[in-house]
Amino acid sequence: MLTRGMVHQPCLDSFGNLKRLSTLRMENLELLELADSIGEIPGLQVLSLCDSSMEKLPESIGKLESLVKLNISSTNIIELPDSIGELKRLKILGMRNCKLRKLPKAIGMLEKLESLDASFCMFLEGEIPMEIGALSVLQELLLDGTRISEVPPTISQLCQLMRLGLRDCEELQQLPELPASLAHLDIKSTSLQRIPDLSNLSNLNFLQLSDYGHRRYVNIPHAPLNACQAQDLQCIGRLTRLSWLALDLSDGTMLHADFGTLTKLKMLELPGSTIKSLERIPTEVETLTCYDFESTDGWSNLHTFKYLSSLKIVRSCLTEIPLDVLGQLENLHYLDVLECQFLERLPHLSSLRKLQALTLYECPRLLEIQGVEQLKTLEKLYICYCLSLKELPNLSNLQKLSKLHLLGCESLESLPIVANEETCHVNVSRCKMLPYDSGPTFEWACLEAPLCGETSGFNWETEVSS
């Protein structure tokens, strides 16, 4: 493997002397292009150029007849040479986060390709070539975070495709019929207008469908889903292998379907208007996310959810969310309250007797958190971007509290007292009212909140302290 500081141009011009090489990793290099002699290594099976400044691949790349894996992720490469289609043994093509602008038609000649990952290629736009339908053994197609606007109908010919990633493809408006082999389908676009008929996807175990995308961050015109799609989504109740279902759609009225048949479902995300009909939701669910709910009507039936361990409340318009009804949930360990712009009070937390982690994220009007000091089982408390919160109660009774993370709480005037200053890891960032020398021992950390809804309780195990 070549790393930064070890590159010598004569070495790079003489690949022909390395004919027995099977793996070549030229990662983290300041190298603009490969020498044509790269094609003189007939036995090369793995070539990785990731995180280099590479701008171009030579046409001779097509001579690597034994190549199985090619990784150009996080490079400056803007196009693939047509000779890429000559890599008849290539199984894995990684292009994640590179500057690729389009996929060549020659991509359809990679007859052994099993995985194509072009996620987060921000300049990849327009249509995916029709020729992609010829990739008969392709199992994984990841196009998340790209600017593609159209997926060709030939995608239905990919009879072994198991995973399709189209998350945050903001220009994608509709999809054609999809292959029945799919087990994992992730679609998220603010431009989404039409949803494909999912009734043939009997192998699905993961489905995420959203027309919200990054609307919170960017101003993208949004056309609401048309009414004819209501019938299309009724079929979800027949996808009996689903274990993960996330439907975050602006027109929640179309979701009044019976999901009670989804007995394998463990994780469920639905608009609050649908959550009202809890009798239509399988009680085996372990993680439940409610979007945009306007009342807690129907929550009295939550006691039947004996396995529910994680509840996420997202984008509620309520000024107060009474949590006493959740006391029926004997196994509730994680509670996330996210992006509730109007929330002012969070009462009755003390009723959640087994709560282990509490996350409050982007609730800018939140003034009061009642009962958190009585949660004797609480281990982790994350409070982020709650701009109006001025104080926290005394937490000295919380003997199990091991993490207290405060991020962007601009009005917070003091740190709470914790039970054990040595075992409780307190991280603070962007709380401008807090003096550096107040309260217990703590670290001023650079914390960035992960995407909401991804895990139960934000996973900040890898925060960087400064």
Side-chain angles (χ1 to χ4, degrees):
M1 179 160 89
L2 298 177
T3 58
R4 190 178 298 278
M6 297 175 59
V7 183
H8 301 287
Q9 192 60 40
C11 168
L12 301 182
D13 290 337
S14 57
F15 287 124
N17 297 325
L18 304 173
K19 293 184 178 180
R20 295 185 179 181
L21 198 65
S22 62
T23 299
L24 178 58
R25 299 185 183 276
M26 304 177 67
E27 302 168 351
N28 297 292
L29 296 179
E30 294 180 1
L31 180 66
L32 298 182
E33 60 182 271
L34 288 176
D36 287 337
S37 59
I38 188 70
E40 300 175 17
I41 315 177
L44 192 64
Q45 297 180 26
V46 176
L47 175 59
S48 179
L49 306 169
C50 67
D51 295 300
S52 71
S53 54
M54 190 76 62
E55 295 181 350
K56 185 179 180 181
L57 291 177
E59 283 289 336
S60 60
I61 199 85
K63 296 181 180 180
L64 299 177
E65 56 187 33
S66 300
L67 199 64
V68 174
K69 181 177 181 179
L70 175 61
N71 189 352
I72 59 170
S73 298
S74 299
T75 65
N76 294 323
I77 293 173
I78 63 175
E79 64 179 351
L80 298 176
D82 288 337
S83 64
I84 198 82
E86 299 172 17
L87 302 176
K88 300 301 183 183
R89 296 186 182 180
L90 193 68
K91 292 184 177 181
I92 300 174
L93 178 55
M95 303 178 289
R96 192 180 182 90
N97 195 36
C98 75
K99 295 186 178 180
L100 195 71
R101 294 180 179 176
K102 67 176 182 178
L103 292 175
K105 294 181 179 180
I107 206 84
M109 300 171 62
L110 301 175
E111 54 193 41
K112 295 289 182 67
L113 196 65
E114 297 177 0
S115 174
L116 193 162
D117 185 356
S119 300
F120 309 109
C121 293
M122 298 179 63
F123 300 99
L124 183 60
E125 61 183 359
E127 302 177 8
I128 299 300
M130 297 280 289
E131 286 76 8
I132 202 169
L135 302 179
S136 59
V137 298
L138 191 68
Q139 299 177 22
E140 181 179 64
L141 177 59
L142 304 180
L143 300 166
D144 307 274
T146 64
R147 297 169 59 188
I148 64 164
S149 58
E150 187 172 341
V151 175
T154 54
I155 194 173
S156 64
Q157 301 172 18
L158 303 180
C159 58
Q160 295 193 41
L161 190 67
M162 297 182 64
R163 182 174 183 180
L164 178 59
L166 297 167
R167 185 184 181 94
D168 299 327
C169 294
E170 304 294 1
E171 297 184 19
L172 187 65
Q173 296 186 11
Q174 58 185 0
L175 283 173
E177 180 182 350
L178 299 172
S181 55
L182 278 178
H184 183 116
L185 177 59
D186 192 347
I187 308 170
K188 204 170 187 182
S189 171
T190 54
S191 300
L192 197 63
Q193 296 182 34
R194 295 187 58 83
I195 299 171
D197 182 1
L198 306 175
S199 59
N200 67 316
L201 305 184
S202 57
N203 292 309
L204 269 188
N205 57 54
F206 179 105
L207 174 60
Q208 175 154 293
L209 186 58
S210 172
D211 62 351
Y212 272 92
H214 286 307
R215 191 180 309 164
R216 185 167 63 90
Y217 302 105
V218 292
N219 184 20
I220 300 176
H222 173 65
L225 298 171
N226 54 53
C228 71
Q229 293 172 307
Q231 185 62 36
D232 293 341
L233 290 176
Q234 299 303 312
C235 66
I236 291 178
R238 298 193 292 272
L239 304 179
T240 56
R241 295 190 181 185
L242 281 177
S243 61
W244 180 300
L245 174 61
L247 299 175
D248 188 9
L249 299 169
S250 56
D251 186 3
T253 59
M254 70 172 64
L255 295 175
H256 293 288
D258 187 354
F259 298 138
T261 56
L262 307 180
T263 56
K264 294 183 179 180
L265 206 60
K266 301 301 180 185
M267 189 278 176
L268 178 63
E269 297 184 9
L270 288 175
S273 59
T274 305
I275 298 298
K276 291 180 181 179
S277 303
L278 288 173
E279 67 275 7
R280 298 179 178 179
I281 299 174
T283 57
E284 293 84 1
V285 168
E286 297 174 1
T287 298
L288 179 63
T289 300
C290 310
Y291 291 101
D292 304 307
F293 79 93
E294 299 177 356
S295 75
T296 54
D297 294 347
W299 282 28
S300 58
N301 293 325
L302 276 174
H303 67 278
T304 60
F305 288 70
K306 297 180 180 180
Y307 304 100
L308 191 66
S309 63
S310 175
L311 177 64
K312 305 176 197 229
I313 300 172
V314 185
R315 299 193 308 258
S316 170
C317 65
L318 297 179
T319 58
E320 184 173 303
I321 301 176
L323 299 175
D324 50 338
V325 67
L326 301 182
Q328 308 169 60
L329 299 172
E330 56 188 42
N331 289 310
L332 187 66
H333 296 149
Y334 307 96
L335 175 64
D336 295 356
V337 181
L338 313 173
E339 301 176 38
C340 295
Q341 301 296 314
F342 302 97
L343 183 66
E344 296 178 2
R345 291 176 184 81
L346 200 61
H348 309 303
L349 270 169
S350 58
S351 63
L352 309 182
R353 294 181 297 274
K354 294 187 178 181
L355 201 67
Q356 297 176 9
L358 173 63
T359 297
L360 306 176
Y361 176 73
E362 211 170 275
C363 301
R365 300 186 186 182
L366 183 65
L367 298 170
E368 191 175 2
I369 307 171
Q370 299 177 351
V372 66
E373 70 278 9
Q374 300 177 44
L375 298 176
K376 294 185 178 181
T377 59
L378 195 67
E379 300 174 6
K380 300 176 182 180
L381 176 58
Y382 306 126
I383 305 178
C384 317
Y385 301 111
C386 295
L387 305 180
S388 301
L389 190 65
K390 292 185 177 182
E391 62 178 357
L392 289 172
N394 187 324
L395 304 180
S396 58
N397 288 330
L398 306 187
Q399 298 292 331
K400 293 187 177 182
L401 190 67
S402 60
K403 288 184 181 292
L404 172 61
H405 291 194
L406 304 171
L407 169 62
C409 297
E410 297 181 353
S411 300
L412 195 63
E413 297 176 349
S414 62
L415 284 170
I417 299 173
V418 296
N420 193 324
E421 296 180 7
E422 295 181 359
T423 59
C424 184
H425 189 199
V426 182
N427 282 350
V428 179
S429 179
R430 304 175 194 170
C431 299
K432 61 184 182 181
M433 297 292 289
L434 290 178
Y436 282 82
D437 57 353
S438 68
T441 302
F442 60 92
E443 297 181 18
W444 290 81
C446 178
L447 305 177
E448 292 297 337
L451 295 174
C452 76
E454 301 249 336
T455 58
S456 107
F458 287 154
N459 182 7
W460 286 348
E461 300 296 336
T462 57
E463 70 265 4
V464 180
S465 300
S466 60

